[in-house]
Amino acid sequence: VARAEAENKLNVWLASGEAPDIIFTYDTNTLFKYAQQGGIWELDDLLKEYGPQITANNQKALDQAGTYEGKRFAITALRANPNVGAVFKIRQDWLDKLNMKAPTTVDELYQVLKAFKEKDPGNVGKDKVVPYAFPAIGKAFMYALSSAFGINPKLMSNGTDLAGGVWENDKFISNIAAPGARDMFKFLNKLYVEGLIPKEFGTDVNNQQLNQYIAQGVAGFMENNDSGWALTDSTMKAVPDARWMPIDPLISSDGKQYAGGAADYGMFIMVPKASKEEQAIAAMKYLNWMADPEVIKTLQSGIEGTHYTLDADGIQIPIDPEKNAREVTWYAGSGDLAIIQQGQPLSSYDTLKILGEKGKLFDPEYYAAVNTKYNDIFAKYTPKTVEITDPRPFAQKNQETIKKFINESITKIIVSSDPDKEYDAMIEGWKKLGGEEYDNELTEAYKKVNYQP
């Protein structure tokens, strides 16, 4: 199930009683909604009896989330390395050819994008160069972009692919109504008008065009969850010397820099109530088996002696990277199988370089540098995570409608000949849908946990 369609699919499954015995979400509101409606199993007793290894491995994640009104309704996956999320990436090889530095502000970003368009450092043709690769809203990450306009990515979002919001005058304000939001959308409109983002971005709902731009080597700047390594691996098939590199968060007008970073937990793993007790027990036993460190290693890295060996320092050395790509990496790299633990603890630059050398990667020093840079961004710029413990009835009922309206409205602003008019229309429509009530509910929720910015 595609991530963007997950919540709708879960709703259909649960309503029809046809959900798998193990389901998951990344959205707290979805967890609260299903728990409140009695759609999922309460897991405290099952975890205590059948999940000792889950408790041993995932305690840090379990302590932070997964409960509703004091009862556990989800097993929270452990993020072994919370330094993950969406950041800007740029073609370092293009910057080097132009003798330019990575942008540090929105104005500098604009100048770099214009230089990419006008000077075509990749020699791909000025009519083909894509300065800022940007897919359809709802698929386009704008966490890093909205952070550059002063929006805090660690406050609760409204389901859109923007950072959460701001806390001003002891009150939460949604991302689209935040002080810098109008300027952000007008900036995107300016990029669209000047051909610095693709004219056809609105139709790229499956990221197919975005992926083509990357693979063809015509894109110079973008935002996603990748460190830059996978982007480079794709681009260098067309441009062997291509190198994508993450950059620090852009400095906002108030002098702040934000990175999204993750909490110590990832997905909320649930068991639907339609599953019988014996199935719920089996699901807990399965997750408990999955939480064994040796099983985690196998699910994430393959089979020792078949896919990797251990050197004297205990570092896993791939035996045949191409075989691993066929048999392991395609699912393990994204964490799609080992759902109980996402990722491995952080590796140092030296360890990454050794892995790159022994894994016969195309550029071990770059491999170490790009991943170290990516990790450092989150370690340095991620604000503290604040967990909301109380359910939010209004958000549970209306978030999907609000999200759909916002996403459609953002596209209209970007392509409009009068972005101010379209922005005002979005805010008016958002208010009619209860946007301010949404924010008031969040304000009270943050006050209950004594949030201090």
Side-chain angles (χ1 to χ4, degrees):
V1 179
R3 176 73 61 82
E5 301 168 8
E7 305 307 320
N8 289 335
K9 187 68 173 180
L10 279 176
N11 287 334
V12 172
W13 273 343
L14 287 166
S16 62
E18 297 179 351
D21 297 316
I22 292 177
I23 57 177
F24 63 83
T25 181
Y26 284 90
D27 182 59
T28 306
N29 276 330
T30 299
L31 167 65
F32 287 171
K33 178 177 68 176
Y34 294 158
Q36 186 180 54
Q37 294 176 352
I40 51 179
W41 276 86
E42 197 232 297
L43 301 176
D44 286 290
D45 291 341
L46 293 176
L47 177 62
K48 184 177 181 180
E49 185 169 357
Y50 301 105
Q53 187 57 53
I54 296 174
T55 302
N57 192 77
N58 288 43
Q59 191 63 62
K60 186 184 293 185
L62 294 171
D63 286 344
Q64 292 185 12
T67 61
Y68 171 75
E69 293 187 342
K71 297 179 180 179
R72 176 160 302 283
F73 285 89
I75 302 301
T76 40
L78 175 69
R79 286 194 193 274
N81 173 17
N83 293 339
V84 294
V87 297
F88 286 137
K89 262 80 62 177
I90 199 163
R91 284 284 296 276
Q92 185 63 48
D93 53 308
W94 284 15
L95 286 177
D96 293 343
K97 288 178 181 178
L98 295 174
N99 197 27
M100 298 183 76
K101 294 182 179 180
T104 63
T105 65
V106 172
D107 289 341
E108 289 180 9
L109 172 61
Y110 173 70
Q111 295 303 324
V112 167
L113 295 178
K114 277 182 67 68
F116 284 173
K117 181 73 172 178
E118 296 169 358
K119 298 181 180 180
D120 186 20
N123 294 318
V124 301
K126 291 186 178 181
D127 59 329
K128 294 182 179 179
V129 65
V130 180
Y132 188 166
F134 195 85
I137 302 301
K139 302 292 183 181
F141 283 99
M142 291 194 290
Y143 299 120
L145 183 62
S146 47
S147 297
F149 287 85
I151 300 172
N152 187 338
K154 295 304 286 182
L155 291 174
M156 189 68 69
S157 178
N158 43 28
T160 54
D161 283 332
L162 286 81
V166 299
W167 188 264
E168 192 170 90
N169 298 323
D170 209 28
K171 185 178 182 346
F172 173 86
I173 304 174
S174 269
N175 42 39
I176 62 165
R182 182 189 296 268
D183 288 340
M184 176 179 68
F185 296 125
K186 290 177 71 173
F187 175 69
L188 283 170
N189 175 266
K190 179 180 181 180
L191 299 185
Y192 176 80
V193 170
E194 296 185 16
L196 302 180
I197 59 176
K199 292 292 185 183
E200 71 281 5
F201 82 91
T203 62
D204 190 17
V205 296
N206 295 314
N207 286 346
Q208 291 181 344
Q209 192 66 61
L210 174 84
N211 293 332
Q212 285 184 23
Y213 292 146
I214 302 300
Q216 292 167 358
V218 301
F221 183 80
M222 60 97 66
E223 175 184 355
N224 73 350
N225 282 338
D226 169 54
S227 69
W229 172 257
L231 294 177
T232 296
D233 189 44
S234 175
T235 302
M236 65 182 297
K237 293 178 176 65
V239 185
D241 63 350
R243 294 293 184 271
W244 287 91
M245 184 61 70
I247 65 173
D248 286 345
L250 300 180
I251 303 170
S252 63
S253 60
D254 60 0
K256 294 181 179 179
Q257 290 172 275
Y258 289 124
D264 290 312
Y265 65 87
M267 61 179 69
F268 301 115
I269 306 168
M270 305 167 289
V271 180
K273 198 64 175 179
S275 296
K276 297 178 182 177
E277 184 176 6
E278 64 188 54
Q279 293 167 313
I281 292 172
M284 188 62 70
K285 288 181 176 180
Y286 171 69
L287 293 172
N288 191 66
W289 165 81
M290 186 176 280
D292 183 282
E294 289 303 313
V295 175
I296 292 172
K297 184 186 296 184
T298 301
L299 294 177
Q300 294 184 345
S301 305
I303 300 169
E304 184 176 357
T306 300
H307 299 108
Y308 68 90
T309 58
L310 296 177
D311 71 4
D313 297 319
I315 298 175
Q316 295 179 16
I317 308 301
I319 295 173
D320 182 345
E322 292 186 4
K323 176 183 175 69
N324 288 6
R326 294 192 304 271
E327 298 181 1
V328 179
T329 311
W330 66 272
Y331 70 79
S334 57
D336 283 348
L337 191 58
I339 59 174
I340 201 72
Q341 177 176 308
Q342 296 168 276
Q344 288 288 341
L346 189 64
S347 295
S348 68
Y349 175 93
D350 291 340
T351 297
L352 290 167
K353 186 178 177 182
I354 292 171
L355 287 171
E357 291 169 347
K358 295 191 175 182
K360 300 178 181 179
L361 300 181
F362 59 81
D363 188 339
E365 289 190 0
Y366 165 70
Y367 175 73
V370 71
N371 284 291
T372 300
K373 176 64 176 178
Y374 179 75
N375 288 323
D376 287 349
I377 287 172
F378 295 108
K380 186 175 181 180
Y381 297 110
T382 300
K384 64 180 180 180
T385 298
V386 179
E387 300 303 331
I388 293 177
T389 57
D390 285 2
R392 293 185 290 132
F394 184 84
Q396 292 169 24
K397 182 178 180 180
N398 298 285
Q399 179 171 292
E400 289 302 312
T401 301
I402 291 174
K403 178 175 74 172
K404 184 174 185 294
F405 171 77
I406 290 174
N407 284 340
E408 291 173 350
S409 298
I410 291 173
T411 301
K412 291 177 182 179
I413 296 170
I414 294 174
V415 304
S416 176
S417 60
D418 190 345
D420 277 307
K421 180 179 179 181
E422 286 294 342
Y423 176 78
D424 290 338
M426 176 177 68
I427 295 301
E428 182 180 355
W430 170 73
K431 289 180 178 179
K432 288 181 179 178
L433 291 173
E436 291 176 314
E437 186 174 349
Y438 181 98
D439 285 6
N440 290 336
E441 188 178 59
L442 256 178
T443 298
E444 294 306 311
Y446 275 115
K447 286 182 177 179
K448 283 189 177 181
V449 296
N450 194 32
Y451 173 67
Q452 299 292 328

